């Protein structure tokens, strides 16, 4: 505090008074300066007034709702039972607690505390909010692993527009996985939030909503059970079909090659046999200059004639002396053949040639 000295007594007192007013005004506080509460709850403000004061008033939205005096004792005059005031502690007049019970939405606005004298006034801001309902439309569900799932959450009767979020097993979900929209319904807001994600494991899905006045969010939750997905046989079937097709193709190629070689082999054998037979026949012909076989000793030329009796025995046919009988043996089987001419001077001639 700065004191200005002057030769005039009244000037000294004026300067001292102004300095005192300035100090008192700086130490006068109203807390909290800004607050948000839920509708129908109780809100409290503390006014700290150093020194000695006489009269204090409280206004909400420019309406006087309570006055207090400190003459002989602390006296309070409220405009209704909804408003009250008391000393923060016994015999401590430097702090006054002002309360509003069952606060309503229309009481949102400035709260002004004014102390008569050199203190002046202080203003705080009051916001009255409303919490509504939160409900997940889905019931407990069972899904397949890696299946895309969708959950829908509805909120209603909130003021102001609530903040909506999701969590899985208590862990917050990234905001990119859900979309939230709100519409105003009279003096409150309704919201719809849709969550989409791929199910990996079983979890508790929770939707929550909150406003500044809430100490903890309102929430709704459901259980999601994830079962393992059936094995994907597509790849295995494709591999089996590919391998089977390749095996069949190779088998077909081997079969064609085998049949071709066998056919060529048969043709070669057949041609070799023909060549062998032709070569063998040619060799036999060239070796003797004539066909194989023995000369038929029983051959008689056309101009030969004989007559006479024939003798026949087991060893063959012989010509008897003085007769026209001759011997002829079979070249191949060595069986005797008998030629007999009976009666007359002429006989029949037979020619047998066996060729091998």
């Amino acid at each position: 505090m700065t004191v200005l000295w002057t030769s005039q007594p009244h000037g000294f007192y004026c300067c001292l008074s102004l300095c005192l007013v300035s100090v008192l005004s700086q130490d006068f506080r109203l807390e909290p300066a800004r607050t948000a509460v839920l509708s129908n709850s109780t809100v409290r403000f503390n006014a700290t007034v150093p020194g000695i004061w006489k009269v204090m008033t409280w206004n909400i939205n420019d309406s006087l709702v309570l006055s207090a005096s400190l003459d002989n004792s602390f006296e309070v005059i409220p405009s209704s039972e909804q408003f009250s005031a008391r000393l923060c502690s016994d015999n401590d007049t430097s702090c006054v607690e002002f309360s509003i019970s069952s606060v309503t939405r229309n009481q949102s606005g400035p709260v002004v505390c004014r102390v008569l004298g050199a203190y002046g006034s202080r203003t705080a801001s009051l916001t009255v909010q409303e919490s509504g309902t939160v409900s997940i439309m889905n019931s407990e569900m069972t899904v397949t692993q890696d299946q895309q799932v969708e959950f829908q959450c509805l909120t209603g009767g909130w003021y102001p527009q609530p903040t909506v979020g999701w969590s899985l097993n208590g862990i917050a979900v990234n905001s990119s996985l859900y979309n939230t929209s709100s519409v105003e319904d009279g003096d409150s807001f309704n919201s719809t939030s849709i969550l989409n994600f791929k199910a990996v494991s079983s979890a508790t899905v929770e939707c929550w909503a909150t406003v500044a006045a809430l100490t903890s969010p309102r929430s709704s939750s459901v259980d999601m059970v994830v079962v393992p997905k059936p094995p994907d046989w597509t790849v295995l079937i494709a591999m089996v079909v590919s391998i089977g097709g390749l095996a069949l193709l190779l088998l077909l190629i081997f079969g064609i090659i085998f049949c071709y070689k066998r056919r060529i082999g048969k043709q070669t054998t057949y041609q070799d046999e023909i060549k062998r037979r032709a070569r063998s026949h040619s060799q036999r012909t060239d070796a003797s200059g004539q066909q194989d076989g023995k000369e038929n000793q029983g051959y008689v030329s056309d101009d030969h004639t004989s007559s006479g009796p024939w003798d026949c025995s087991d060893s063959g046919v012989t010509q008897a002396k003085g007769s026209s009988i001759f011997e002829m043996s079979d070249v191949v089987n060595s069986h005797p053949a008998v030629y007999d001419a009976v009666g007359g001077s002429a006989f029949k001639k037979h020619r047998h040639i066996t060729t091998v």
Side-chain angles (χ1 to χ4, degrees):
M1 180 178 62
T2 302
V3 179
L4 298 178
W5 296 95
T6 180
S7 58
Q8 301 296 328
H10 68 277
F12 169 75
Y13 290 115
C14 180
C15 182
L16 182 63
S17 177
L18 290 174
C19 293
L20 181 62
V21 170
S22 176
V23 171
L24 293 176
S25 177
Q26 290 177 1
D27 290 341
F28 177 27
R29 303 188 307 274
L30 179 60
E31 298 172 332
R34 187 179 301 274
T35 186
V37 296
L38 292 178
S39 177
N40 294 320
S41 63
T42 299
V43 59
R44 293 178 175 86
F45 294 90
N46 290 337
T48 301
V49 184
I52 299 173
W53 56 274
K54 295 295 183 178
V55 178
M56 176 185 292
T57 61
W58 292 85
N59 289 57
I60 297 178
N61 291 330
D62 297 330
S63 297
L64 179 63
V65 296
L66 183 142
S67 61
S69 62
L70 191 62
D71 289 332
N72 297 324
S73 62
F74 184 71
E75 295 181 357
V76 177
I77 304 174
S79 62
S80 69
E81 294 180 355
Q82 186 182 14
F83 308 102
S84 63
R86 67 180 184 87
L87 297 177
C88 296
S89 60
D90 294 340
N91 300 322
D92 183 9
T93 60
S94 63
C95 179
V96 177
E97 181 186 82
F98 172 67
S99 300
I100 307 172
S101 61
S102 300
V103 64
T104 60
R105 286 266 305 277
N106 58 11
Q107 290 172 336
S108 295
V111 176
V112 180
C113 176
R114 179 176 289 104
V115 179
L116 297 182
Y119 294 95
S121 64
R122 295 289 181 270
T123 302
S125 176
L126 172 63
T127 301
V128 180
Q129 302 177 342
E130 293 184 2
S131 66
T133 60
V134 179
S135 177
I136 295 180
M137 303 306 296
N138 310 75
S139 58
E140 180 178 343
M141 62 170 60
T142 300
V143 297
T144 305
Q145 189 176 20
D146 293 335
Q147 177 181 340
Q148 198 72 19
V149 294
E150 179 179 294
F151 290 87
Q152 184 177 14
C153 178
L154 299 181
T155 66
W158 290 79
Y159 182 85
Q161 179 180 326
T163 300
V164 180
W166 294 83
S167 64
L168 295 177
N169 289 334
I171 300 176
V173 174
N174 192 299
S175 59
S176 63
L177 297 178
Y178 59 88
N179 182 35
T180 303
S181 59
S182 298
V183 294
E184 189 171 1
D185 183 17
D187 58 353
S188 62
F189 290 87
N190 299 330
S191 300
T192 301
S193 183
I194 299 177
L195 171 67
N196 282 283
F197 66 97
K198 182 182 291 185
V200 177
S201 60
S202 298
T204 299
V205 181
E206 182 181 40
C207 174
W208 53 266
T210 188
V211 290
L214 283 174
T215 56
S216 60
R218 301 277 190 265
S219 64
S220 175
S221 62
V222 295
D223 292 328
M224 179 188 67
V225 179
V226 177
V227 297
K229 62 180 179 180
D232 187 3
W233 298 103
T234 304
V235 177
L236 181 59
I237 292 174
M239 292 179 62
V240 171
V241 170
S242 299
I243 295 174
L246 180 60
L248 289 176
L249 179 60
L250 294 176
L251 183 61
L252 179 61
I253 293 174
F254 290 151
I256 293 173
I257 294 174
F258 176 76
C259 293
Y260 177 76
K261 287 185 176 181
R262 186 173 181 182
R263 181 177 179 183
I264 295 300
K266 285 185 176 182
Q267 290 180 355
T268 303
T269 303
Y270 177 71
Q271 292 175 358
D272 291 344
E273 180 65 21
I274 293 176
K275 291 178 180 179
R276 186 188 64 79
R277 290 185 179 182
R279 187 168 54 250
S280 176
H281 178 71
S282 175
Q283 289 175 355
R284 288 197 302 268
T285 303
D286 295 341
S288 60
Q290 59 183 5
Q291 294 182 345
D292 293 339
K294 294 182 179 181
E295 183 178 356
N296 187 359
Q297 300 297 330
Y299 172 76
V300 181
S301 60
D302 292 342
D303 58 351
H304 177 77
T305 58
S306 63
S307 62
W310 295 80
D311 291 336
C312 181
S313 65
D314 294 335
S315 61
V317 179
T318 60
Q319 184 180 11
K321 294 180 178 181
S323 66
S324 55
I325 299 174
F326 62 91
E327 181 182 3
M328 177 178 143
S329 300
D330 184 73
V331 177
V332 178
N333 299 321
S334 298
H335 292 295
V338 180
Y339 293 82
D340 189 5
V342 182
S345 60
F347 60 91
K348 293 181 178 180
K349 180 175 62 175
H350 295 272
R351 180 182 300 169
H352 285 261
I353 298 176
T354 302
T355 301
V356 179

